[in-house]
Amino acid sequence: MIDISVMESVPVQIDAVFARDVAEGLNRELKQLPTKYHYDALGSQLFEAICELPWYSITRSERRLLLEERDAIISHSSNPPAVIEMGSGSGEKVSILADRLNSMGRPTTIHLVDISKTALELGTQRLGRYPAIQVVRHELSYIEGLRAAVGTLRLDQPVIVLFLGSNIGNMNAETSVQFLHDVHTELRTGDRFLLGTDLVKPEPDLLAAYDDPLGVTAAFNLNLLARINRELDADFNLRQFVHRVLWNSRDSCVESYVVSQREQTVCITGADCCVRLVKGESIWTESSFKYTREQVRSLGSSAGFRVVDQWVESVSTFALTLFEVT
Ligand code: AVJ
Protein backbone atom coordinates (compact mmCIF):
# COMPACT_ATOMS: atom_id res chain seq x y z
CA MET A 1 0.00 0.00 0.00
CA ILE A 2 1.26 3.40 -0.92
CA ASP A 3 0.47 6.13 1.55
CA ILE A 4 -1.07 8.88 -0.57
CA SER A 5 -0.83 11.46 2.20
CA VAL A 6 2.93 11.04 2.32
CA MET A 7 3.19 11.27 -1.45
CA GLU A 8 1.18 14.48 -1.58
CA SER A 9 3.02 16.33 1.11
CA VAL A 10 5.60 18.43 -0.67
CA PRO A 11 8.68 18.82 1.49
CA VAL A 12 9.18 22.46 2.40
CA GLN A 13 12.74 23.77 2.30
CA ILE A 14 12.77 26.49 4.92
CA ASP A 15 14.80 29.63 4.33
CA ALA A 16 15.91 30.47 7.89
CA VAL A 17 16.31 34.20 7.25
CA PHE A 18 12.85 34.49 5.68
CA ALA A 19 11.39 32.51 8.62
CA ARG A 20 13.08 34.72 11.17
CA ASP A 21 12.04 37.95 9.42
CA VAL A 22 8.41 36.80 9.23
CA ALA A 23 8.27 35.68 12.88
CA GLU A 24 9.94 38.87 14.04
CA GLY A 25 7.55 41.10 12.07
CA LEU A 26 4.39 39.28 13.12
CA ASN A 27 5.33 39.35 16.78
CA ARG A 28 5.54 43.12 16.91
CA GLU A 29 2.92 45.29 18.54
CA LEU A 30 2.07 46.68 15.10
CA LYS A 31 2.38 43.62 12.89
CA GLN A 32 4.47 43.94 9.75
CA LEU A 33 6.06 41.90 6.98
CA PRO A 34 9.21 42.91 5.09
CA THR A 35 8.35 44.49 1.74
CA LYS A 36 11.12 42.77 -0.21
CA TYR A 37 9.43 39.37 0.12
CA HIS A 38 6.72 40.41 -2.33
CA TYR A 39 9.03 39.42 -5.18
CA ASP A 40 8.91 35.65 -5.59
CA ALA A 41 8.26 34.32 -9.11
CA LEU A 42 4.52 35.09 -8.99
CA GLY A 43 5.01 38.40 -7.16
CA SER A 44 7.53 39.56 -9.76
CA GLN A 45 5.06 38.77 -12.55
CA LEU A 46 2.24 40.54 -10.70
CA PHE A 47 4.46 43.59 -10.35
CA GLU A 48 5.10 43.53 -14.11
CA ALA A 49 1.31 43.51 -14.55
CA ILE A 50 0.94 46.48 -12.17
CA CYS A 51 3.31 48.43 -14.42
CA GLU A 52 0.84 47.99 -17.29
CA LEU A 53 -2.13 49.30 -15.29
CA PRO A 54 -3.55 52.66 -16.41
CA TRP A 55 -3.69 53.77 -12.75
CA TYR A 56 0.00 53.08 -12.11
CA SER A 57 1.86 55.72 -14.07
CA ILE A 58 5.41 55.38 -12.71
CA THR A 59 6.65 52.97 -15.36
CA ARG A 60 5.18 54.80 -18.35
CA SER A 61 6.35 58.22 -17.14
CA GLU A 62 9.84 56.96 -16.55
CA ARG A 63 9.96 55.22 -19.92
CA ARG A 64 9.02 58.50 -21.67
CA LEU A 65 11.69 60.45 -19.79
CA LEU A 66 14.37 57.83 -20.45
CA LEU A 67 13.53 57.84 -24.15
CA GLU A 68 13.65 61.61 -24.37
CA GLU A 69 16.75 62.13 -22.29
CA ARG A 70 18.87 59.07 -22.91
CA ASP A 71 21.54 60.95 -24.85
CA ALA A 72 21.99 63.45 -22.04
CA ILE A 73 22.12 60.55 -19.59
CA ILE A 74 24.78 58.40 -21.26
CA SER A 75 26.88 60.67 -23.42
CA HIS A 76 28.89 62.65 -20.89
CA SER A 77 32.21 61.07 -21.84
CA SER A 78 33.83 59.84 -25.03
CA ASN A 79 33.83 56.25 -23.76
CA PRO A 80 30.46 54.54 -23.53
CA PRO A 81 29.74 54.09 -19.83
CA ALA A 82 29.27 50.80 -18.08
CA VAL A 83 25.78 50.69 -16.60
CA ILE A 84 24.82 49.19 -13.25
CA GLU A 85 21.14 48.92 -12.44
CA MET A 86 20.12 48.16 -8.87
CA GLY A 87 16.70 46.51 -8.79
CA SER A 88 16.62 45.94 -12.51
CA GLY A 89 13.42 43.89 -12.54
CA SER A 90 12.59 42.72 -16.06
CA GLY A 91 15.25 45.02 -17.54
CA GLU A 92 12.71 47.07 -19.42
CA LYS A 93 14.04 50.45 -18.27
CA VAL A 94 17.71 49.75 -18.79
CA SER A 95 16.98 48.38 -22.25
CA ILE A 96 16.06 51.91 -23.34
CA LEU A 97 19.65 52.95 -22.60
CA ALA A 98 21.03 49.65 -23.89
CA ASP A 99 19.39 50.23 -27.25
CA ARG A 100 21.21 53.55 -27.59
CA LEU A 101 24.54 52.23 -26.28
CA ASN A 102 24.32 49.31 -28.68
CA SER A 103 23.77 51.60 -31.66
CA MET A 104 26.89 53.54 -30.68
CA GLY A 105 28.65 50.35 -31.70
CA ARG A 106 31.30 50.25 -29.00
CA PRO A 107 31.06 47.33 -26.60
CA THR A 108 30.13 47.92 -23.00
CA THR A 109 28.78 46.05 -20.01
CA ILE A 110 25.47 46.26 -18.21
CA HIS A 111 25.28 44.87 -14.69
CA LEU A 112 21.87 43.82 -13.42
CA VAL A 113 21.46 43.69 -9.65
CA ASP A 114 18.30 42.10 -8.27
CA ILE A 115 17.29 39.70 -5.49
CA SER A 116 14.79 38.00 -7.80
CA LYS A 117 16.11 35.21 -10.02
CA THR A 118 13.05 35.51 -12.24
CA ALA A 119 13.74 39.22 -12.72
CA LEU A 120 17.37 38.58 -13.64
CA GLU A 121 16.38 35.94 -16.16
CA LEU A 122 13.85 38.27 -17.79
CA GLY A 123 16.42 41.08 -17.85
CA THR A 124 19.18 38.97 -19.37
CA GLN A 125 16.78 37.72 -22.03
CA ARG A 126 15.71 41.23 -22.92
CA LEU A 127 19.27 42.56 -23.22
CA GLY A 128 20.34 39.52 -25.22
CA ARG A 129 19.32 41.19 -28.44
CA TYR A 130 22.06 43.83 -28.21
CA PRO A 131 25.32 42.38 -29.57
CA ALA A 132 27.51 45.21 -28.25
CA ILE A 133 26.26 44.73 -24.70
CA GLN A 134 27.67 42.19 -22.32
CA VAL A 135 25.30 41.39 -19.45
CA VAL A 136 26.45 40.44 -15.97
CA ARG A 137 23.91 39.50 -13.31
CA HIS A 138 24.24 39.82 -9.58
CA GLU A 139 21.61 38.04 -7.49
CA LEU A 140 22.32 40.25 -4.50
CA SER A 141 20.86 43.10 -2.48
CA TYR A 142 21.35 46.62 -3.89
CA ILE A 143 24.60 47.66 -2.21
CA GLU A 144 26.21 44.21 -2.22
CA GLY A 145 25.44 43.94 -5.94
CA LEU A 146 26.72 47.45 -6.62
CA ARG A 147 29.97 46.63 -4.83
CA ALA A 148 30.36 43.39 -6.79
CA ALA A 149 29.71 45.18 -10.08
CA VAL A 150 32.04 48.11 -9.34
CA GLY A 151 34.75 45.59 -8.44
CA THR A 152 34.84 44.37 -12.04
CA LEU A 153 35.22 47.80 -13.69
CA ARG A 154 38.32 49.07 -15.44
CA LEU A 155 39.73 52.21 -13.85
CA ASP A 156 39.28 54.31 -16.97
CA GLN A 157 35.72 53.24 -17.61
CA PRO A 158 33.01 55.73 -16.70
CA VAL A 159 30.01 54.27 -14.93
CA ILE A 160 26.41 55.23 -14.52
CA VAL A 161 24.40 53.66 -11.73
CA LEU A 162 20.64 53.46 -12.13
CA PHE A 163 18.11 53.27 -9.34
CA LEU A 164 14.81 53.65 -11.10
CA GLY A 165 11.09 53.03 -10.86
CA SER A 166 10.86 54.89 -7.54
CA ASN A 167 12.39 51.85 -5.88
CA ILE A 168 13.81 54.30 -3.36
CA GLY A 169 10.19 54.94 -2.36
CA ASN A 170 10.22 51.82 -0.20
CA MET A 171 12.82 53.42 2.09
CA ASN A 172 11.96 55.86 4.84
CA ALA A 173 13.75 59.22 5.20
CA GLU A 174 16.54 57.88 7.36
CA THR A 175 17.18 54.72 5.33
CA SER A 176 17.16 56.53 2.00
CA VAL A 177 19.82 59.03 3.11
CA GLN A 178 21.98 56.19 4.40
CA PHE A 179 21.41 54.29 1.18
CA LEU A 180 22.51 57.19 -1.04
CA HIS A 181 25.56 57.61 1.19
CA ASP A 182 26.39 53.93 0.63
CA VAL A 183 25.99 54.33 -3.14
CA HIS A 184 28.21 57.42 -3.07
CA THR A 185 30.88 55.53 -1.13
CA GLU A 186 31.11 52.82 -3.80
CA LEU A 187 31.65 55.31 -6.65
CA ARG A 188 34.59 57.35 -7.94
CA THR A 189 34.83 60.99 -8.96
CA GLY A 190 32.98 61.57 -12.23
CA ASP A 191 30.72 58.56 -11.85
CA ARG A 192 27.03 59.22 -12.28
CA PHE A 193 23.89 58.19 -10.51
CA LEU A 194 20.40 58.36 -12.02
CA LEU A 195 17.51 58.29 -9.57
CA GLY A 196 13.85 57.81 -10.56
CA THR A 197 11.30 59.10 -8.06
CA ASP A 198 7.55 59.38 -8.04
CA LEU A 199 6.35 62.84 -7.01
CA VAL A 200 3.55 63.89 -4.70
CA LYS A 201 0.26 64.15 -6.60
CA PRO A 202 -3.45 64.38 -5.70
CA GLU A 203 -4.52 61.81 -3.13
CA PRO A 204 -7.16 60.07 -5.31
CA ASP A 205 -4.51 59.42 -7.98
CA LEU A 206 -2.14 57.98 -5.40
CA LEU A 207 -4.78 55.72 -3.90
CA ALA A 208 -5.94 54.43 -7.29
CA ALA A 209 -2.32 53.60 -8.18
CA TYR A 210 -2.00 51.33 -5.14
CA ASP A 211 -5.55 50.00 -5.00
CA ASP A 212 -6.47 49.51 -8.62
CA PRO A 213 -10.03 48.52 -9.58
CA LEU A 214 -8.79 45.36 -11.31
CA GLY A 215 -7.38 44.06 -8.05
CA VAL A 216 -3.92 43.39 -9.45
CA THR A 217 -2.20 45.30 -6.63
CA ALA A 218 -4.39 43.47 -4.11
CA ALA A 219 -3.20 40.18 -5.60
CA PHE A 220 0.41 41.40 -5.48
CA ASN A 221 0.07 42.29 -1.80
CA LEU A 222 -1.89 39.17 -0.75
CA ASN A 223 0.61 36.99 -2.60
CA LEU A 224 2.99 37.79 0.24
CA LEU A 225 0.74 35.70 2.49
CA ALA A 226 0.44 33.01 -0.18
CA ARG A 227 4.23 32.91 -0.41
CA ILE A 228 4.53 32.47 3.35
CA ASN A 229 2.02 29.62 3.11
CA ARG A 230 4.03 27.96 0.36
CA GLU A 231 7.55 28.50 1.60
CA LEU A 232 7.09 28.50 5.36
CA ASP A 233 4.30 25.96 5.64
CA ALA A 234 1.83 28.50 7.05
CA ASP A 235 -1.97 28.51 7.03
CA PHE A 236 -3.04 32.06 6.15
CA ASN A 237 -6.57 31.83 4.76
CA LEU A 238 -6.32 34.35 1.94
CA ARG A 239 -10.07 34.82 1.83
CA GLN A 240 -9.94 36.19 5.37
CA PHE A 241 -7.64 39.07 4.46
CA VAL A 242 -8.12 42.15 2.32
CA HIS A 243 -5.71 44.62 0.74
CA ARG A 244 -5.96 48.19 2.14
CA VAL A 245 -4.06 51.37 1.40
CA LEU A 246 -3.95 54.82 2.95
CA TRP A 247 -2.18 58.10 2.22
CA ASN A 248 0.01 59.19 5.12
CA SER A 249 0.33 62.93 4.44
CA ARG A 250 2.64 63.56 7.40
CA ASP A 251 5.32 61.17 6.12
CA SER A 252 4.30 61.59 2.48
CA CYS A 253 3.84 57.91 1.68
CA VAL A 254 1.17 55.47 0.56
CA GLU A 255 0.96 52.68 3.15
CA SER A 256 -0.20 49.19 2.18
CA TYR A 257 -1.63 46.62 4.53
CA VAL A 258 -3.30 43.24 4.60
CA VAL A 259 -6.23 43.43 7.03
CA SER A 260 -7.71 40.51 8.93
CA GLN A 261 -11.44 40.24 8.26
CA ARG A 262 -12.13 38.38 11.50
CA GLU A 263 -10.52 37.17 14.67
CA GLN A 264 -8.22 34.32 13.73
CA THR A 265 -5.03 32.48 14.59
CA VAL A 266 -2.44 31.82 11.90
CA CYS A 267 0.35 29.30 12.34
CA ILE A 268 3.64 29.63 10.48
CA THR A 269 5.04 26.16 11.08
CA GLY A 270 8.32 26.84 9.34
CA ALA A 271 8.92 29.83 11.59
CA ASP A 272 7.81 28.00 14.72
CA CYS A 273 5.12 30.49 15.63
CA CYS A 274 1.39 31.15 15.74
CA VAL A 275 -0.07 34.64 15.81
CA ARG A 276 -3.47 35.86 16.87
CA LEU A 277 -5.20 38.57 14.87
CA VAL A 278 -8.28 40.48 15.95
CA LYS A 279 -11.00 41.50 13.53
CA GLY A 280 -9.84 44.53 11.53
CA GLU A 281 -6.19 44.16 12.57
CA SER A 282 -3.67 45.32 9.97
CA ILE A 283 -0.36 43.86 8.96
CA TRP A 284 1.82 46.57 7.36
CA THR A 285 3.49 45.36 4.17
CA GLU A 286 4.78 48.42 2.30
CA SER A 287 5.28 52.18 2.31
CA SER A 288 5.73 53.99 -1.00
CA PHE A 289 7.21 57.43 -0.37
CA LYS A 290 6.45 60.37 -2.67
CA TYR A 291 8.70 63.39 -3.07
CA THR A 292 8.89 66.94 -4.32
CA ARG A 293 11.56 67.77 -6.89
CA GLU A 294 13.49 69.80 -4.32
CA GLN A 295 13.42 66.93 -1.82
CA VAL A 296 15.01 64.61 -4.36
CA ARG A 297 17.79 67.08 -5.12
CA SER A 298 18.58 67.72 -1.49
CA LEU A 299 18.49 64.00 -0.73
CA GLY A 300 21.31 63.51 -3.25
CA SER A 301 23.20 66.58 -2.11
CA SER A 302 23.12 65.47 1.50
CA ALA A 303 24.74 62.20 0.42
CA GLY A 304 27.55 64.13 -1.28
CA PHE A 305 26.34 64.15 -4.90
CA ARG A 306 26.24 67.14 -7.23
CA VAL A 307 22.98 67.59 -9.15
CA VAL A 308 23.70 67.48 -12.89
CA ASP A 309 20.15 67.72 -14.16
CA GLN A 310 16.54 66.90 -13.33
CA TRP A 311 13.79 66.00 -15.78
CA VAL A 312 10.13 65.98 -14.82
CA GLU A 313 7.28 64.28 -16.54
CA SER A 314 4.54 66.83 -16.10
CA VAL A 315 1.46 64.77 -16.94
CA SER A 316 1.73 62.41 -13.99
CA THR A 317 4.63 64.04 -12.20
CA PHE A 318 7.57 61.76 -11.99
CA ALA A 319 11.22 62.88 -11.82
CA LEU A 320 14.53 61.57 -13.10
CA THR A 321 17.44 63.23 -11.33
CA LEU A 322 21.00 62.84 -12.54
CA PHE A 323 23.76 63.16 -9.94
CA GLU A 324 27.53 63.12 -10.20
CA VAL A 325 30.27 62.25 -7.74
CA THR A 326 32.56 65.27 -7.37
C1 AVJ B 1 8.62 48.86 -6.91
C2 AVJ B 1 8.58 49.98 -4.81
C3 AVJ B 1 8.42 51.23 -6.82
O1 AVJ B 1 6.01 51.34 -4.38
O2 AVJ B 1 5.34 51.89 -6.37
C4 AVJ B 1 3.63 48.89 -6.73
C5 AVJ B 1 5.96 48.62 -5.65
N1 AVJ B 1 3.69 48.21 -4.70
N2 AVJ B 1 2.38 48.69 -6.31
C6 AVJ B 1 5.91 51.12 -5.59
C7 AVJ B 1 4.47 48.58 -5.70
C8 AVJ B 1 2.42 48.27 -5.08
C9 AVJ B 1 6.54 49.88 -6.20
N3 AVJ B 1 8.02 49.97 -6.17
Side-chain angles (χ1 to χ4, degrees), residues 125-143:
Q125 231 172 52
R126 197 188 293 270
L127 297 179
R129 69 176 116 113
Y130 302 114
I133 311 277
Q134 188 198 353
V135 184
V136 183
R137 4 178 178 176
H138 305 271
E139 194 181 336
L140 291 169
S141 63
Y142 297 139
I143 299 295

Side-chain angles (χ1 to χ4, degrees), residues 18 32-33 76 95 158 167 196 198 203 207 220 257 270 276 304:
F18 184 28
Q32 58 173 68
L33 289 167
H76 62 293
S95 74
N167 277 337
D198 201 18
E203 182 171 337
L207 295 179
F220 170 76
Y257 298 89
R276 182 127 203 89

